[in-house]
Amino acid sequence: MNRRLAEANGSKIDEAVSTGMQVIKEYSPDDDRLMTLSVGPQHPGSGHFRFTIKVDGDYIVYCDPDPGYVHRGEEKMCEYRNFIQNIPHLERPVIHDSANITYSYSLAVEQLVGIEVPRRGQFIRALTSELDRQVYTLYWLAIYGIFLGHSTMFMWPTGDRELFIDLLDALTGARVTHAFNIPGGVRNDIPEGFKQKALRHIAYYEKRLEEYEDIFYNNPLLRQRTEGVGILTREDAIKLGVTGSVLRASAVPFDVRKAEPYDIYNEIDFKVQYMRTGDCFARAYVPFLDMKESCHIMRQLLDKMPSSGEVRAKLQPNPKGPAGEAYRRVESGRGALGYYIVSDGTPRPYRVKMSVGSFRNMLALPHLLVGAKLADMPSIYWALNYWPVEADR
Amino acid sequence: MGQDSDKASKTTNGKLDKTNNVNQAQPPARPPSAPSPVTKPAPTTTSAVTKKEAEPPALEKGIIDTLVKEFGNKINAVYARPLRIKIVVEPKDISAVAIFLRDSMGFDHAESVAGTDYPKDNQIEVIYHLGSYGTRELEGHIMALTTRTSRDEARLPSLINVFRSVEYHERETYEMLGVYFEGHPRNERFLLPEDWADIPPLRREFRIKGR
Amino acid sequence: MASYPQEFRFGNFVASIIWLVFWILLIVTLVVLPLIFVILFYVPLPLADGEVLTPYLFLSMVVDPTRTLPILQFLMQTDLFRVAVFPGFTYAALIAAVTIFVERKFLAKMQLRVGPLYAGKIEGILQLIADGLKLVSKEIIVPSGADKPIFWAAPIAFVASAAAVTALIPVAPGWVVADLDVGIIAMFAIFGFFPLIELLFSWASNSKYPFIGGLRALHQLIAFEIPFILSALSVVLLAGTLNLTGIAEAQQPYWYILFLPISAFVFYISALAEVERVPFDLPEAESEIVAGWLTETSGMIYGLIQLGTYIKLYALSALFVVLFLGGWAGPQVFPQELGPPGEKTPLIQLLTLEGIYNPVTANSIFWFTLKTFGMIMLMLLPRGINPRIRIDILLHTGWYKLIVLSFINIFIALALVYGGILGPQGILTSG
């Protein structure tokens, strides 16, 4: 494994996917040779998302993403509810990574209103964030497996996710969409025996991660299908503004937890995992490395948590702060999730803008698909860590 | 698709006003030239102590000084907190400032583009949050590049040739707020349904019953 | 489904049974028996043991055991028995049915699940019947622009070809439906039908995704037929005959897999590709082209194609067993006679199947079924391990690597024959 990884590193970084651009220049979009396929919402390989592709034989020459099937007007809804009432509906864009999407919102609101979160609350918040990161990444990995036809890799992560969903269920009361983070901290304290249970689950899970590596990442068929496919060079990654694991797979070691540490992340010791090749295999492998790193982080959080204390700051009803604006971001499963909140002195935000990782990564989809083979379409598409519901908000 | 854009630009002229009541929210009084009266704690800690706006930290002060030296009074720095800087420019200068920020200051991508509707000022503010992946010192910084345009005739030059990453964000701002970006190849509806024939949703031109 | 179950009352239960018996008797005496006699009036009856086999004779064998066994022996020698029951359709369909169920359970255990659990009292054993009934009861949607004659005919042709392949497989010495002198060539000729049927069906579906799937099926199946034939050719070189029974018998001392392991490997990979199992299930790649050439199938058409696929799987595993694993060869584990030796009463005769039971045949069936089942499990295994392969890697493998390997193996086979080790005058040939 390490030997092959060393060979792949640094060898193809400057190879641009250029064949596609030559092909598209030869044909007009209405050419008879091209077949238009709608990889639409009614497709086992697309999720709640539609993109139209034109195919010449086996090569894709044109791609146009068409999101909006799950657009619910989250940002508009925020303007009609106060800061606390916004939490339940803001979780819905990513139901199983809900701790991260409300974490960023809570940080921004705390900055606006001027709340200090107690230390134990900060630790629990970070712990929930890491647990949800695992839950989301495992689900993403499961769907990546089934897109490539690997049914075992669909069942195993979905089953192992239950370990963390169990923990979250015990902690927050809900399996997904926990509504646990609020501005000011978390709602409740952790239950008895949680730490032992969590350590047990994490130990079992780390053994399972080794098996994933055996059956999936070291599988020669998978390597053949994903290595060298859909290469995103470092310059393109920065120019397109992608984020998260897609960025880290293209040799940019950027992680919001290290670049701009929030809460207690500056006390936690962890490394930013990244790879240099920028192909689909790197984009599939970086989340796996992130998961391993996340296990270390969770162990440190459980160790360093203060043994007692408040978990939530006491707030007045309808908290409000002076007029102003704030932009805070956290590292979610998809990448940097930022909230821009404008407040006008009332209990309701004036404007909330969510800058989500999926929406930013969507820009890489036409860039990578043009010139790729049709058979690589699911692997390129899902490797961009795109969650359709979150991109639509 | 062309018809959609025509229809949307017609409505931004105020001809089709859906309801009589404008939302009663108070926008912050923020004319472009006044410094912000906001006193907020630094973003890295969540301290509840509200202090007077401290001297901007050295790095941020350096950035603002470089910009002012380059562009003079075209730049209005609204605030310069640790890791966050906000400047306001006129629409005609925004391309030049963006190019300068990208090439000389190291902000190489735009993280988000947001539009906010201020009916009290009769203006729409479009704010570009620029980040830096390549420069080490600017890693956690976000430069908020802001410009304002009139609500009735909302046109702005597009920054797509400067920062490629604003493509979908500007398109979304177009359809949600009706701001036409000149130079953007596709000012079309993106997230809204194909048969949307109403005012841009994020404008504050209607009131929702019961809220 | 939403009705509440009524309380069980024994009297009602007995009454319903009597009511059922009454209706059965009524319909049989008034409708079925006259119908049988009308048919028998016109259809000439066969001779059995010098007597005309009338229904009375047939029914009387229930009470007279001395007449049962000759009749059963006679029936077992007819062609109908061979085609319909063993080694023909019923045998193949039973193995296919067991394969489907075992595959689901086997994969489930590998994937940390349980598989079918609720249909039937023991671990979901009736799941297959439930699925079959479901498929039969579903509506068959024919797309409006589809080419209807081919759309209806292609699945039937698919199952027919698969059944034709199983007709050539010898299960025990003397037990084969069609004993052709050119058995192997006939086998490959029938296998050549499958890409054609799949392409016709995908074209008749008149839709984009089936079109892509059909093209992929065509490319895949044609690419793997050549290494398929070449690897079987090396076996023919060693055995000296094209007849499948002859090949199986020529492996009496040593199985060919010992001499031709590369050929067995190439045959195994080609068989996986021919039957479209993971990792070669491109023609119906779910995440890329919806369901490939099967997109427009629904209801019983889908059921027929699945049946055909599993019968093809059985046929290929059986072919592997015949070519490389010695067919039915195995140590004799069945006793010479089932009951106590000597004169037996007619009832004991009936129970011990005297005259019908042949220890060699029983032994052959047992070992053949065991080996075929082992091969089927080996073919099911890659589904739990591998992702799907891509079409260009597949064609590259099929056209370059596998053909080279099979040529290498032909040279090995030629060397063995000319070296006098195997082949017609070989040291290790049986007799």
Side-chain angles (χ1 to χ4, degrees):
Chain A
M1 173 65 194
N2 288 330
R3 189 184 69 227
R4 293 182 73 169
L5 209 58
E7 281 167 357
N9 272 353
S11 59
K12 298 179 189 169
I13 188 78
D14 287 324
E15 238 174 65
V17 182
S18 59
T19 58
M21 299 318 290
Q22 291 165 355
V23 175
I24 201 174
K25 280 186 183 120
E26 286 174 26
Y27 310 124
S28 74
D30 301 318
D31 209 320
D32 263 347
R33 265 179 82 140
L34 304 179
M35 186 161 74
T36 308
L37 288 174
S38 170
V39 185
Q42 281 261 20
H43 190 281
S46 77
H48 315 53
F49 176 57
R50 171 173 177 257
F51 52 102
T52 313
I53 51 180
K54 288 196 201 284
V55 175
D56 171 30
D58 208 21
Y59 283 94
I60 301 177
V61 299
Y62 170 78
C63 165
D64 180 29
D66 181 16
Y69 282 90
V70 213
H71 176 65
R72 286 178 277 196
E74 295 283 335
E75 298 174 0
K76 186 74 181 175
M77 284 203 285
C78 285
E79 299 170 7
Y80 295 94
R81 292 160 175 78
N82 70 24
F83 288 119
I84 307 286
Q85 283 172 338
N86 272 326
I87 294 281
H89 80 86
L90 275 178
E91 291 184 310
R92 261 53 183 181
V94 200
I95 52 175
H96 34 241
D97 199 5
S98 63
N100 281 317
I101 207 169
T102 48
Y103 198 173
S104 180
Y105 173 77
S106 308
L107 286 171
V109 170
E110 282 151 19
Q111 183 179 327
L112 278 176
V113 174
I115 310 170
E116 180 181 358
V117 179
R119 205 168 141 76
R120 190 169 160 85
Q122 290 182 14
F123 270 94
I124 299 180
R125 222 158 52 165
L127 181 67
T128 325
S129 162
E130 293 301 321
L131 285 170
D132 261 349
R133 193 192 317 280
Q134 295 278 6
V135 165
Y136 171 77
T137 310
L138 282 171
Y139 192 66
W140 170 85
L141 191 59
I143 299 190
Y144 194 63
I146 198 70
F147 273 13
L148 290 177
H150 198 153
S151 52
T152 306
M153 204 53 192
F154 175 58
M155 302 294 177
W156 282 6
T158 326
D160 290 331
R161 231 174 125 227
E162 296 290 322
L163 295 167
F164 298 107
I165 291 187
D166 252 351
L167 288 176
L168 284 164
D169 192 12
L171 180 59
T172 70
R175 285 165 58 96
V176 292
T177 61
H178 322 292
F180 195 56
N181 288 339
I182 51 174
V186 291
R187 281 191 197 270
N188 298 307
D189 208 340
I190 60 178
E192 293 272 326
F194 182 80
K195 180 171 171 181
Q196 289 80 5
K197 188 169 167 186
L199 288 174
R200 241 187 4 245
H201 283 202
I202 296 175
Y204 174 74
Y205 176 64
E206 284 177 332
K207 286 203 289 275
R208 295 289 297 160
L209 279 179
E210 288 164 30
E211 294 187 29
Y212 289 179
E213 194 151 4
D214 280 335
I215 202 175
F216 194 60
Y217 292 106
N218 284 340
N219 194 329
L221 282 172
L222 181 91
R223 290 292 191 109
Q224 255 182 335
R225 273 200 78 169
T226 53
E227 275 183 340
V229 165
I231 295 184
L232 187 65
T233 58
R234 187 171 191 267
E235 292 77 33
D236 277 341
I238 296 179
K239 203 167 55 129
L240 292 173
V242 296
T243 178
S245 58
V246 179
L247 184 67
R248 289 197 284 276
S250 292
V252 180
F254 182 82
D255 188 325
V256 179
R257 296 173 289 179
K258 278 283 192 211
E260 187 193 343
Y262 44 90
D263 271 3
I264 37 86
Y265 273 101
N266 43 12
E267 300 173 28
I268 306 286
D269 176 39
F270 67 101
K271 289 198 288 289
V272 177
Q273 302 283 351
Y274 72 103
M275 288 181 68
R276 293 182 194 278
T277 43
D279 55 9
C280 274
F281 179 72
R283 287 197 282 275
Y285 198 60
V286 165
F288 175 76
L289 296 170
D290 277 341
M291 284 198 282
K292 279 200 204 168
E293 203 63 39
S294 189
C295 289
H296 298 316
I297 299 179
M298 280 197 277
R299 284 217 166 89
Q300 288 177 58
L301 286 172
L302 287 167
D303 274 334
K304 295 185 180 172
M305 192 177 315
S307 47
S308 66
E310 289 286 314
V311 295
R312 171 157 62 143
K314 200 90 176 70
L315 293 173
Q316 299 296 320
N318 284 349
K320 63 178 199 265
E325 60 184 50
Y327 185 87
R328 294 302 302 271
R329 47 188 183 160
V330 305
E331 180 79 14
S332 73
R334 275 91 35 223
L337 212 165
Y339 269 83
Y340 169 65
I341 305 188
V342 177
S343 155
D344 54 355
T346 60
R348 296 182 174 173
Y350 186 79
R351 167 85 166 109
V352 173
K353 159 81 178 164
M354 301 155 62
S355 162
V356 290
S358 301
F359 198 71
R360 296 168 59 186
N361 289 344
M362 194 181 9
L363 196 56
L365 187 68
H367 175 83
L368 289 177
L369 270 189
V370 168
K373 300 192 180 65
L374 180 60
D376 287 329
M377 182 259 293
S379 102
I380 294 179
Y381 160 58
W382 200 252
L384 288 176
N385 218 344
Y386 180 79
W387 188 248
V389 191
E390 186 196 36
D392 291 347
R393 284 157 281 138
Chain B
M1 291 303 159
Q3 281 130 350
D4 260 1
S5 64
D6 282 336
K7 210 179 299 197
S9 57
K10 274 208 195 62
T11 56
T12 59
N13 287 331
K15 300 288 187 284
L16 289 173
D17 219 356
K18 273 297 189 178
T19 66
N20 337 350
N21 292 320
V22 175
N23 198 320
Q24 296 298 318
Q26 295 285 328
R30 202 197 301 260
S33 50
S36 162
V38 170
T39 60
K40 281 285 147 256
T44 46
T45 64
T46 52
S47 154
V49 174
T50 57
K51 45 189 189 297
K52 278 281 167 214
E53 181 73 60
E55 263 296 301
L59 183 64
E60 283 76 8
K61 190 154 171 42
I63 295 177
I64 302 253
D65 287 344
T66 321
L67 282 169
V68 168
K69 197 163 64 170
E70 177 74 18
F71 289 102
N73 62 347
K74 296 187 196 157
I75 304 272
N76 291 299
V78 177
Y79 57 76
R81 310 176 195 144
L83 299 180
R84 300 283 186 271
I85 308 174
K86 178 168 176 179
I87 58 176
V88 182
V89 295
E90 294 287 312
K92 55 180 169 31
D93 302 322
I94 196 169
S95 280
V97 176
I99 292 175
F100 181 75
L101 282 170
R102 183 190 68 182
D103 294 333
S104 319
M105 310 273 340
F107 289 100
D108 43 29
H109 69 282
E111 190 160 302
S112 138
V113 179
T116 317
D117 190 22
Y118 293 107
K120 286 262 164 165
D121 304 341
N122 204 27
Q123 281 181 325
I124 294 181
E125 176 176 277
V126 173
I127 173 166
Y128 292 81
H129 294 283
L130 307 175
S132 172
Y133 285 146
T135 316
R136 197 84 202 161
E137 307 82 47
L138 294 177
E139 216 176 28
H141 281 73
I142 296 281
M143 159 77 73
L145 177 64
T146 321
T147 178
R148 287 198 169 218
T149 177
S150 144
R151 260 175 122 239
D152 304 317
E153 190 64 40
R155 300 182 86 89
L156 280 178
S158 166
L159 289 187
I160 192 170
N161 295 319
V162 185
F163 298 109
R164 177 89 193 282
S165 51
V166 303
E167 180 177 344
Y168 289 151
H169 289 99
E170 280 185 353
R171 199 169 152 189
E172 189 196 344
T173 312
Y174 166 73
E175 73 166 346
M176 292 287 178
L177 280 155
V179 177
Y180 189 83
F181 288 94
E182 282 152 359
H184 193 278
R186 293 177 80 171
N187 276 297
E188 294 169 3
R189 55 127 223 114
F190 197 41
L191 293 176
L192 293 174
E194 288 95 359
D195 52 354
W196 182 261
D198 211 334
I199 58 168
L202 276 176
R203 288 206 174 206
R204 296 176 163 267
E205 285 178 359
F206 51 89
R207 201 148 99 170
I208 294 184
K209 195 164 116 165
R211 288 205 172 265
Chain C
M1 197 95 66
S3 60
Y4 292 99
Q6 291 166 333
E7 236 182 72
F8 177 73
R9 301 181 126 227
F10 190 65
N12 289 354
F13 178 62
V14 173
S16 65
I17 296 243
I18 295 177
W19 195 237
L20 185 70
V21 169
F22 164 72
W23 273 106
I24 289 178
L25 282 177
L26 197 69
I27 294 178
V28 164
T29 48
L30 287 185
V31 175
V32 174
L33 277 179
L35 206 62
I36 290 180
F37 282 113
V38 165
I39 293 175
L40 287 177
F41 192 74
Y42 290 104
V43 173
L45 292 167
L47 286 169
D49 244 5
E51 290 182 51
V52 179
L53 187 69
T54 61
Y56 294 117
L57 184 64
F58 194 76
L59 287 172
S60 72
M61 78 182 199
V62 178
V63 287
D64 190 358
T66 56
R67 287 167 147 181
T68 317
L69 289 170
I71 292 175
L72 280 179
Q73 265 179 315
F74 168 74
L75 280 176
M76 275 168 53
Q77 282 155 16
T78 55
D79 270 337
L80 185 65
F81 183 81
R82 286 180 186 222
V83 170
V85 181
F86 176 84
F89 185 70
T90 307
Y91 179 70
L94 266 178
I95 290 196
V98 172
T99 305
I100 299 180
F101 180 72
V102 164
E103 174 188 20
R104 292 172 72 161
K105 282 295 208 187
F106 181 53
L107 274 179
K109 298 295 180 205
M110 282 197 334
Q111 293 170 354
L112 302 178
R113 307 180 279 133
V114 280
L117 192 61
Y118 296 109
K121 278 287 171 197
I122 319 168
E123 288 279 320
I125 237 172
L126 297 179
Q127 179 70 34
L128 205 55
I129 302 177
D131 278 341
L133 284 175
K134 176 200 80 166
L135 281 175
V136 165
S137 65
K138 274 194 186 287
E139 177 191 0
I140 299 180
I141 301 177
V142 180
S144 60
D147 191 356
K148 298 213 177 20
I150 300 183
F151 195 85
W152 286 104
I156 302 175
F158 192 80
V159 180
S161 310
V165 174
T166 61
L168 294 168
I169 306 238
V171 179
W175 283 97
V176 58
V177 175
D179 197 9
L180 298 176
D181 274 337
V182 289
I184 287 221
I185 296 190
M187 201 90 164
F188 293 127
I190 303 178
F191 267 114
F193 275 130
F194 287 112
L196 196 60
I197 295 174
E198 290 183 17
L199 182 68
L200 277 176
F201 185 75
S202 66
W203 186 262
S205 296
N206 197 20
S207 171
K208 283 177 193 161
Y209 287 115
F211 173 62
I212 300 179
L215 285 180
R216 285 188 182 185
L218 186 71
H219 282 128
Q220 175 176 320
L221 295 178
I222 288 187
F224 280 85
E225 268 178 25
I226 297 190
F228 197 47
I229 296 177
L230 286 177
S231 54
L233 187 62
S234 50
V235 171
V236 168
L237 280 173
L238 289 186
T241 167
L242 286 168
N243 186 355
L244 282 168
T245 317
I247 294 178
E249 280 169 356
Q251 294 180 54
Q252 290 300 44
Y254 299 102
W255 296 350
Y256 283 159
I257 195 170
L258 295 169
F259 301 110
L260 304 172
I262 304 177
S263 204
F265 173 72
V266 170
F267 191 88
Y268 171 69
I269 302 279
S270 311
L272 275 181
E274 287 290 326
V275 84
E276 288 171 25
R277 297 222 40 105
V278 180
F280 302 112
D281 66 338
L282 281 86
E284 38 172 289
E286 198 187 337
S287 57
E288 303 156 24
I289 46 176
V290 190
W293 67 285
L294 294 178
T295 311
E296 303 288 346
T297 56
S298 50
M300 206 50 209
I301 293 190
Y302 181 70
L304 278 177
I305 293 184
Q306 289 293 51
L307 180 69
T309 305
Y310 280 96
I311 290 186
K312 209 162 71 159
L313 177 68
Y314 154 70
L316 279 168
S317 312
L319 190 61
F320 186 92
V321 167
V322 165
L323 288 178
F324 294 101
L325 292 181
W328 53 76
Q332 180 76 287
V333 294
F334 280 81
Q336 283 294 112
E337 274 189 9
L338 275 181
E343 270 298 309
K344 298 196 246 309
T345 62
L347 188 63
I348 305 285
Q349 268 183 351
L350 184 63
L351 286 176
T352 60
L353 299 175
E354 185 174 315
I356 302 179
Y357 171 71
N358 183 356
V360 174
T361 308
N363 192 50
S364 313
I365 298 173
F366 171 71
W367 282 110
F368 184 84
T369 312
L370 200 67
K371 286 186 223 175
T372 308
F373 221 76
M375 265 323 289
I376 290 181
M377 297 290 274
L378 202 59
M379 289 218 189
L380 298 180
L381 189 63
R383 186 168 179 182
I385 303 176
N386 286 320
R388 192 177 303 126
I389 206 172
R390 208 170 53 199
I391 187 81
D392 55 328
I393 304 174
L394 177 97
L395 294 177
H396 188 86
T397 310
W399 284 103
Y400 292 147
K401 302 183 181 154
L402 287 186
I403 292 187
V404 167
L405 280 178
S406 42
F407 269 117
I408 292 176
N409 222 85
I410 289 184
F411 291 138
I412 296 180
L414 283 171
L416 283 171
V417 168
Y418 282 112
I421 303 177
L422 284 173
Q425 262 90 36
I427 311 170
L428 295 177
T429 330
S430 66

